[in-house]
Amino acid sequence: MGAGVLAEQSPAPTWVVDGAGRLVWANSAWLAETGAETLAEARERGSVSTAAPTGWWPRPCA
C-alpha cells in the first residue's frame, strides 16, 4: 500500500503543496474541511494559504 493510499484513507486532513505554496494533492478529509468538492476547485481558490482549513496551518510551535 502506497503513502498516497494511506493518506487518502486517513481521517486527518492531509495536503501537499509545491515550493510556491500551490496545492498539489489533498485527501478527501482536507477537501471536506475546506468545502471544496474536488482538487481542481480547491486549486482555483488559489494558494493553500487561502484554501487551507482555518486554524490548521501554519501553527506556531509551543
Side-chain angles (χ1 to χ4, degrees):
M1 193 177 288
V5 173
L6 289 173
E8 178 54 40
Q9 298 304 314
S10 172
T14 307
W15 65 100
V16 176
V17 297
D18 65 14
R22 292 180 299 254
L23 184 63
V24 174
W25 179 87
N27 69 357
S28 56
W30 187 90
L31 293 173
E33 283 291 323
T34 61
E37 291 189 27
T38 65
L39 189 57
E41 180 184 339
R43 285 181 179 139
E44 288 174 10
R45 294 180 182 181
S47 70
V48 76
S49 62
T50 61
T54 303
W56 281 92
W57 185 265
R59 233 181 233 194
C61 298

